[in-house]
Amino acid sequence: FFLALLFNAVILLLFGIDPIEAYSVMVKGSLGNSYALTETLVKAIPLMLAGLAVSLAFRMKLWNIGAEGQLYMGAFAASGIALSMGELSAWLLLPLMLLMGFVAGGLWALIPAALRAYWNVNETITTLMLNYVAIFWVDSLVFGSWKDPQSLGFPLSPRFSANACLPTIGDTRVHMGLLLALLIAVIFYFLLQYTRWGYEVKVVGESHSSARYAGINVAKNILLVMLISGGIAGIAGMIEVSGITHRLQQDISPGYGFTAIIVAWLGRLNPLAIIMVAFLFGALLVGGFGLQIYGISFSIVLMLQGAVLFFLLAGEIFIKYRLQPLGKEM
């Protein structure tokens, strides 16, 4: 992470920008006061959920690159419930939206999971391509049949009823999705560390042959892990429309599903560490908005994210291998 900061500092200098000043603006904009801190938490919540989602699949060496699309499908399903059943009590409506968000995201992930489990189709490609199907499906709704006649032409659905909106903490925009993300992280930690299923996930990830020899149903675990992974990403979509936008709209995610990949790896696939890393990346996003006030492009934040991923993956070489001088040939 330090090398990524250093790399971006060089790029900033090439564009005539003082990197120390730029980074200071980002820190103040994301952590400098109570409002900035709460906005950082708002951005961190979907990153927490999406990061937890992909980390589960990654633990089994299933490369779920489709969290973005699964998030969109979860947002779509939850919005459908909110728009059609908005008169229900919040005690019924919110759990139903949560359930449908999980189901939609999970089913969307089951498509590449089944292709991988039964026909050995590369899930990296299928999950990646399904992102665009989901995004354009949501676009077709907000530009078409779900478009609010009173939106002045903007691609927005009608606003949800108050019963379909997640409660917030105090007078901030931080909503109950934060508690849900923390709960899921704790559950994941104990499931993966202290249960038989967590052990099976690890064994399948290390070797399908060893897993089958040990009597583990590989196909079943692939389907189950991808179902849960996609479902948690779908919940991220549900909490975004219910907790923040209060309607379905175009570009409901600024790339949370893709950033979640960096979050998961930087957290070393540890659910509790992912929570902290997601907060860090939430600060990067909010700090990036602060840069724009000073006339500095938000692209710097995107560059920093890319640099973090690059140096993280490059660092894997030094974790798995070491440099050793060759001895003289005999």
Side-chain angles (χ1 to χ4, degrees):
F1 185 74
F2 172 77
L3 289 174
L5 290 174
L6 188 61
F7 172 81
N8 268 37
V10 174
I11 300 298
L12 289 171
L13 286 172
L14 292 176
F15 282 92
I17 301 171
D18 183 352
I20 296 178
E21 181 181 356
Y23 289 153
S24 297
V25 169
M26 292 179 68
V27 172
K28 291 178 182 177
S30 58
L31 303 173
N33 53 58
S34 60
Y35 174 77
L37 185 60
T38 57
E39 286 301 300
T40 293
L41 282 172
V42 166
K43 292 296 183 184
I45 293 170
L47 289 176
M48 292 175 187
L49 288 165
L52 290 168
V54 297
S55 71
L56 177 62
F58 291 169
R59 273 181 173 264
M60 208 165 77
K61 305 258 186 332
L62 289 172
W63 310 117
N64 179 13
I65 314 299
E68 185 79 353
Q70 293 146 21
L71 183 153
Y72 268 80
M73 293 306 289
F76 147 69
S79 298
I81 296 297
L83 293 174
S84 61
M85 302 182 182
E87 71 282 355
L88 289 178
S89 165
W91 292 100
L92 293 175
L93 186 57
L94 289 174
L96 186 57
M97 290 172 64
L98 191 70
L99 175 62
M100 291 308 298
F102 179 90
V103 169
L107 291 178
W108 201 244
L110 272 183
I111 299 172
L115 293 173
R116 175 70 171 82
Y118 298 115
W119 293 283
N120 203 31
V121 177
N122 188 311
E123 74 280 0
T124 305
I125 301 299
T126 51
T127 54
L128 177 64
M129 298 309 293
L130 282 174
N131 285 327
Y132 303 102
V133 178
I135 292 170
F136 288 127
W137 166 246
V138 169
D139 284 355
S140 72
L141 292 174
V142 296
F143 277 99
S145 58
W146 284 13
K147 185 176 180 179
D148 185 0
Q150 301 178 358
S151 67
L152 303 177
F154 291 100
L156 308 168
S157 77
R159 290 189 68 85
F160 296 168
S161 68
N163 292 342
C165 299
L166 284 173
T168 57
I169 300 174
D171 58 354
T172 70
R173 294 207 306 157
V174 180
H175 49 76
M176 290 302 172
L178 175 62
L179 301 182
L180 181 62
L182 296 176
L183 177 62
I184 291 174
V186 172
I187 292 173
F188 269 21
Y189 179 80
F190 282 98
L191 281 177
L192 294 171
Q193 294 291 330
Y194 300 108
T195 68
R196 176 179 175 178
W197 179 67
Y199 177 73
E200 289 184 356
V201 167
K202 182 178 179 180
V203 172
V204 173
E206 293 298 327
S207 171
H208 286 193
S209 299
S210 299
R212 291 190 182 97
Y213 182 78
I216 298 173
N217 189 325
V218 174
K220 175 184 175 182
N221 274 285
I222 289 175
L223 295 175
L224 180 59
V225 164
M226 285 295 283
L227 173 68
I228 297 174
S229 177
I232 300 300
I235 288 177
M238 177 270 171
I239 63 99
E240 195 65 11
V241 294
S242 179
I244 299 300
T245 63
H246 304 145
R247 68 201 320 166
L248 189 65
Q249 64 185 43
Q250 188 184 30
D251 299 329
I252 55 173
S253 166
Y256 290 133
F258 297 117
T259 305
I261 298 170
I262 310 175
V263 170
W265 281 115
L266 200 59
R268 309 300 300 167
L269 306 185
N270 182 310
L272 303 182
I274 285 170
I275 296 296
M276 294 184 285
V277 175
F279 179 81
L280 168 65
F281 272 78
L284 280 178
L285 289 173
V286 175
F289 299 141
L291 283 178
Q292 292 178 299
I293 299 175
Y294 287 82
I296 302 174
S297 173
F298 181 73
S299 300
I300 291 174
V301 175
L302 303 180
M303 288 169 50
L304 183 56
Q305 289 181 359
V308 168
L309 181 60
F310 174 81
F311 284 104
L312 177 66
L313 295 177
E316 291 289 323
I317 297 174
F318 297 98
I319 293 174
K320 295 181 178 180
Y321 304 98
R322 63 176 178 174
L323 296 176
Q324 184 173 340
L326 295 174
K328 294 182 179 180
E329 295 184 3
M330 297 298 294

